Amino acid sequence: MVKAALSRFLKEYPAALADGVGVMFVGAGMSMAAGYPSWATLLREIGEELGVSSRDIQDLAALAQWSIQESGSATRVRNVIKEQIGADHDVPPTLEVIARLPVQHIWTTNYDRLVERAFAAIDRPLDPVSGAKDLSLKPTPGAARLYKMHGSIDRLDDIVISTDDYELFRTRRGAYLPLLQAHLTSMSILFVGLSFTDPNIRHVLSLIRESFTDAPPEHFAIVRPPHQEDFGSEGEFKARLAQHNLWAKDLRRYGLIAVEIESYDEVPGLLREIERRVATRRIWISGSWPVEGGGPGAASNYALAEDIGRLIGRSGRDLVSGAGMLVGSAAIAGFLDALRDRGGWDLNRRLITRPFPQPLAGAAPDGSKWTMLRRELARQAGTVIFVGGAKHDGGDLIVADGVMEEFEIAREAGVFLLPVGATGGAAAEIAQRLIGSDIAIDGPALARPSDDELRLLLDSGTDQKTIVEAIAAILNRIG
């Protein structure tokens, strides 16, 4: 079941992300990976004040409730949370990957600002929604939304912590529920950092069960079984492992498929594999060619780039483009033709462009900004197809150094490199460099076509139809 669950996860969740219906749910384990305390540790001192051990109490929300009852207010509990959760810890690698994934909706019961900081680190817009009233605010265009359904460290007077808060959730924060239920119904949710000792997660699972009593939609949960070294005695370990195994099986009642890992260190790699599989469906066409004075190559490269764009659109893949001179516009034109054949309704999702800002006549381009855009294009794509790549130097056509920079950036990023050398310019030089190189042509690290395929695409005698068919065969082989 473990391998079957992993196989399903690696196949289905990347497809959900690529189709715009992948959602994330970040649990307490993510905060603990960054160095924040577990619930039991967080409330240890409060438990000692009440004469009980937080490790022996499964209902930690009740422990917070008892403290509030004894002291007459929630101030003591809030001060502990402010002290323990208010500090900034390093963003864990898992959240760095999540911030790069094409996810538009993230749910969390955590109070910290790790998700916000992960998005800010790459300048990706994010709308945090930490109060029920915030749901009525107009979303920022293009921003992902972060639903902090149990509140945020920024608003300690409005967090879910005690038994009262859970029991009155529907009254005080019930506006979250229809949206969560909608996502549970129509989207694929990945739960990361799940723990059966987290009272917040038990609350979320009860909401799922309340909504779907018979056949809940299926989602995925990455979970780590307890290990011997986590506990002080053999008996405690065996008891907690038995609880975990029963809990993992019980997750199926809520539609959650448990993807078990041996160590939390595996999670970033697992999500990077998800990122890679999403990128596989995204094809970047890199290249350029002078419109005027470009010779016969201008017309042939335009026609080929248009056909490649059309191939990408018809095959259900996404186009990534920097809108380079002639080649970029041709690829986009062909891609749009293919989408129009199917109604064109998913254009906004499937066309990813980062047009390069062009300087005024006589001015030099902003090299640092262009490099930044090239790195962004490489991050978005799983394959880059090089077409042409030439520019004027006086009266001569020379290799475009910008396309060669894109080649180097793509190679560093591990993107699959597919030069159509017959189109000349940088594409021809790249093909020559790749033939006989030690860059993998098979296996999990494959990053280029075989030498025979490169030679076919480098041969100026290969007709356009054969080139397009060869590209299609290569794309189908690599996924």
Side-chain angles (χ1 to χ4, degrees), residues 24-106:
M24 285 280 179
F25 198 112
V26 177
M30 192 66 64
S31 298
M32 292 167 61
Y36 289 106
S38 67
W39 269 81
T41 302
L42 180 70
L43 297 177
R44 178 183 300 158
E45 189 173 322
I46 286 177
E48 291 173 353
E49 293 170 0
L50 297 172
V52 296
S53 171
S54 60
R55 289 182 61 87
D56 298 332
I57 298 175
Q58 288 298 311
D59 190 354
L60 293 169
L63 181 55
Q65 183 70 40
W66 299 337
S67 174
I68 293 170
Q69 290 175 182
E70 288 296 309
S71 63
S73 75
T75 302
R76 177 72 177 106
V77 176
R78 289 173 182 164
N79 280 334
V80 169
I81 293 173
K82 180 180 180 180
E83 178 184 342
Q84 298 291 326
I85 308 297
D88 281 349
H89 291 273
D90 290 341
V91 175
T94 298
L95 276 178
E96 292 178 342
V97 182
I98 289 175
R100 298 196 302 264
L101 291 172
V103 59
Q104 291 300 312
H105 302 282
I106 302 175

Side-chain angles (χ1 to χ4, degrees), residues 76-157:
R76 177 72 177 106
V77 176
R78 289 173 182 164
N79 280 334
V80 169
I81 293 173
K82 180 180 180 180
E83 178 184 342
Q84 298 291 326
I85 308 297
D88 281 349
H89 291 273
D90 290 341
V91 175
T94 298
L95 276 178
E96 292 178 342
V97 182
I98 289 175
R100 298 196 302 264
L101 291 172
V103 59
Q104 291 300 312
H105 302 282
I106 302 175
W107 290 84
T108 186
T109 53
N110 300 342
Y111 310 134
D112 58 65
R113 299 189 69 259
L114 287 172
V115 177
E116 293 96 317
R117 291 170 51 220
F119 273 66
I122 60 172
D123 296 322
R124 182 178 175 188
L126 179 74
D127 270 348
V129 182
S130 59
K133 293 181 180 179
D134 296 341
L135 288 167
S136 63
L137 299 177
K138 184 181 296 184
T140 302
R145 300 202 89 185
L146 171 64
Y147 307 99
K148 305 186 80 167
M149 60 185 298
H150 285 177
S152 176
I153 188 67
D154 301 323
R155 296 163 64 174
L156 284 173
D157 61 332

Side-chain angles (χ1 to χ4, degrees), residues 7 43 246 260 278 298 302 315 412 436 453 458:
S7 178
L43 297 177
L246 292 169
E260 292 200 334
V278 171
Y302 185 95
S315 65
E412 290 174 7
E453 289 168 329
L458 180 61

